[in-house]
Amino acid sequence: MSIVFFIYLCTSMRILIVNTSERTGGAAVAANRLMEALNNNGVKTKMLVRDKLSDHLTVCPLPRSWRLQWHFLWERLCIWLHLHLKCEHLFEIDIANCGTDITNLQEFKEADIIHLHWVNQGMLSLKDIRKILDSGKPVVWTMHDIWPATAICHLTLDCRQFETGCHHCRLLPGGGSAHDLAARTWERKQRMLDNRKISFVTCSQWLCSEARKSALLRGQRIETIPNPIDTRLYRLGSQQHARQQLGLPREGRIILFVSQRATNPNKGMQYLVEACQQLGKEHPDWSDTVSVAILGGHADEVASQLPFTTYPLGYVNDEHRIVSVYQAADVFVLPSLSENLPNTIMEAMACGVPCVGFRVGGIPEEIDHKDTGYVAEYRDAADLARGLYYVLVEADYAALQHNCIQKVARCWSQQSVARQYINLYEQQ
């Protein structure tokens, strides 16, 4: 592509990013960062959301209506009934049976390309998505989890039904049946995609590989582009200054754990507890020199489980304060049981913090083993402990820091990711 055509393309193209929330959840964070990256690289981009929380002019809310809340409640009610009035799995399932038709909105009409992100919980129904596809506008859909390639779930775990066709769903009472809610939703998704094309984008090579195995997406374009990060904000800073701001100990080493909800079993807190208990037994002096900081909701509920002094920082939405939390840490640990390409690892590395996580999902694509951190064997608390010890004691820490910052600049900078998306948009 010539530089002249590239500049013309950027200044003339209009993108509408569609996501349920403006700020809540990893997909919202990634969608916001992409919007900023595209705008900073000359592409006129707006974001359409159901839940707007800021006064940013580039973020547009759906027209206010009682129907917005009703769409969410109706879908949950339908799922609850299929769960035989039980709340287990209530928020692990999405069926997209109701939502808002956005094709008549001015933001939609002005856009050249519609870029879907996480559109669940009453934002868009399958019927609404089909109407978007039938409008004739090119559609790009960034997958933040596997839901677009399955019937009703966001995490497949050990289930491989999506490779042939979802039914007998593990999330439904009694393991479902041949004609259960999953099977019927699968058929609705098939009708939505019938003779229609979407350019699917996954944030990790792992999710790309999984999506290509889906019988639902057979024949669709699927490729990988990572999420971007603003390296002007997430950067190496003074650890002492950050700790002073946060009221954390000036001396000693700090292990950091971050999750929107610290009690979420999928984030693996139980493995961090077990790893720290092992380290405490093997190195008794760590009780005086090592502490744990937990950033996220319900942090105080898990603090007492850890053998080291623990600082529950709670839920924080001030991005500058979040950066300070990363800058205060010596190592970031994310023992998740399932992940795509977690923003938290990217954020920590951008701040020069080596990371430790399990070999699952896209985590090994972010952490280069013993180069930017440590990749522990899946669900192995003992290896997780070895990873923490490696980063804090054995490794050349300055080299790890340098490698983290260099990888972020090379792979996830705004300019790098924006250029990849612009190339994709140009091919639509």
Side-chain angles (χ1 to χ4, degrees):
M1 184 190 305
S2 72
I3 187 64
V4 174
F5 181 69
F6 181 79
I7 294 172
Y8 168 76
L9 185 67
C10 290
T11 56
S12 63
M13 188 187 306
R14 294 176 183 269
I15 309 299
L16 180 64
I17 289 175
V18 184
N19 197 75
T20 301
S21 174
E22 179 186 1
R23 289 184 175 175
T24 304
V29 170
N32 258 292
R33 288 176 180 171
L34 178 59
M35 177 180 65
E36 182 181 10
L38 291 169
N39 280 319
N40 287 344
N41 283 271
V43 180
K44 296 177 181 178
T45 308
K46 290 183 178 181
M47 187 170 167
L48 180 67
V49 299
R50 184 192 66 192
D51 306 326
K52 179 172 179 176
L53 301 172
S54 75
D55 57 359
H56 293 163
L57 297 178
T58 53
V59 179
C60 311
L62 291 177
R64 299 309 303 170
S65 169
W66 61 268
R67 292 186 179 88
L68 296 183
Q69 188 63 23
W70 173 246
H71 291 159
F72 169 77
L73 293 173
W74 177 249
E75 183 184 31
R76 290 311 108 186
L77 176 61
C78 293
I79 294 169
W80 185 57
L81 292 173
H82 280 92
L83 292 174
H84 297 175
L85 311 186
K86 295 181 180 179
C87 291
E88 187 181 10
H89 306 314
L90 182 59
F91 288 95
E92 297 176 53
I93 293 172
D94 277 298
I95 57 177
N97 63 335
C98 55
T100 300
D101 177 7
I102 66 171
T103 58
N104 290 320
L105 299 180
Q106 189 63 31
E107 292 83 6
F108 183 91
K109 293 177 180 178
E110 291 175 351
D112 298 304
I113 292 175
I114 308 303
H115 192 155
L116 305 181
H117 282 253
W118 201 88
V119 293
N120 297 111
Q121 296 192 355
M123 176 70 184
L124 297 180
S125 69
L126 298 182
K127 181 180 178 181
D128 297 326
I129 297 173
R130 185 171 68 242
K131 195 164 184 180
I132 292 170
L133 294 172
D134 290 343
S135 73
K137 290 182 182 286
V139 175
V140 173
W141 193 342
T142 292
M143 296 174 58
H144 295 279
D145 56 43
I146 196 70
W147 184 83
T150 69
I152 63 176
C153 74
H154 296 269
L155 295 174
T156 56
L157 298 179
D158 296 327
C159 177
R160 309 307 299 177
Q161 297 278 17
F162 70 97
E163 295 183 8
T164 53
C166 290
H167 53 83
H168 289 95
C169 182
R170 62 181 177 84
L171 299 176
L172 298 174
S177 67
H179 303 287
D180 59 15
L181 180 64
R184 295 196 299 275
T185 305
W186 179 275
E187 291 173 359
R188 291 173 57 227
K189 283 189 172 182
Q190 283 183 316
R191 290 195 296 272
M192 177 189 77
L193 292 171
D194 188 37
N195 295 319
R196 299 173 180 92
K197 292 296 182 182
I198 298 177
S199 291
F200 287 95
V201 176
T202 65
C203 305
S204 67
Q205 293 287 351
W206 165 79
L207 186 57
C208 182
S209 175
E210 290 291 280
R212 285 176 175 167
K213 296 172 186 174
S214 170
L216 190 65
L217 302 190
R218 197 163 291 141
Q220 300 286 349
R221 175 177 182 169
I222 307 171
E223 59 183 85
T224 300
I225 302 176
N227 296 326
I229 189 168
D230 185 353
T231 52
R232 298 167 302 177
L233 176 60
Y234 289 87
R235 57 187 177 82
L236 187 66
S238 168
Q239 187 180 78
Q240 290 298 307
H241 179 68
R243 292 186 178 189
Q244 185 177 12
Q245 277 189 318
L246 297 165
L248 295 173
R250 300 285 296 272
E251 303 299 327
R253 291 162 293 188
I254 295 179
I255 298 169
L256 175 63
F257 174 90
V258 177
S259 174
Q260 185 177 347
R261 179 168 59 89
T263 54
N264 182 349
N266 187 58
K267 295 300 178 181
M269 172 56 75
Q270 66 272 29
Y271 291 95
L272 176 58
V273 170
E274 191 177 335
C276 286
Q277 288 174 343
Q278 177 177 323
L279 289 168
K281 290 177 183 177
E282 294 175 352
H283 311 283
D285 58 307
W286 278 34
S287 60
D288 298 321
T289 61
V290 174
S291 55
V292 179
I294 302 175
L295 180 63
H298 305 276
D300 53 333
E301 296 178 25
V302 297
S304 61
Q305 301 174 30
L306 289 151
F308 304 133
T309 302
T310 303
Y311 298 88
L313 303 177
Y315 181 79
V316 176
N317 57 16
D318 180 344
E319 207 165 11
H320 292 278
R321 187 172 177 83
I322 292 172
V323 170
S324 293
V325 173
Y326 285 117
Q327 292 173 342
D330 294 285
V331 61
F332 174 70
V333 58
L334 187 66
S336 291
L337 305 184
S338 179
E339 283 289 355
N340 181 12
L341 196 77
N343 292 320
T344 50
I345 288 178
M346 192 183 303
E347 291 163 356
M349 288 175 59
C351 295
V353 182
C355 300
V356 178
F358 285 141
R359 189 179 303 281
V360 65
I363 288 178
E365 297 172 37
E366 292 184 292
I367 305 173
D368 296 324
H369 187 56
K370 294 190 173 183
D371 188 61
T372 61
Y374 190 98
V375 181
E377 293 307 312
Y378 188 53
R379 292 179 183 261
D380 188 338
D383 201 23
L384 195 70
R386 283 191 287 273
L388 291 169
Y389 187 82
Y390 172 79
V391 170
L392 294 176
V393 178
E394 295 179 335
D396 181 338
Y397 192 82
L400 290 182
Q401 276 195 318
H402 174 79
N403 295 340
C404 285
I405 294 169
Q406 289 298 307
K407 180 166 185 177
V408 171
R410 184 175 66 253
C411 299
W412 307 315
S413 69
Q414 284 192 347
Q415 186 175 15
S416 171
V417 175
R419 182 175 289 273
Q420 291 178 70
Y421 268 113
I422 291 168
N423 288 338
L424 175 62
Y425 296 151
E426 190 270 335
Q427 295 168 29
Q428 300 305 303

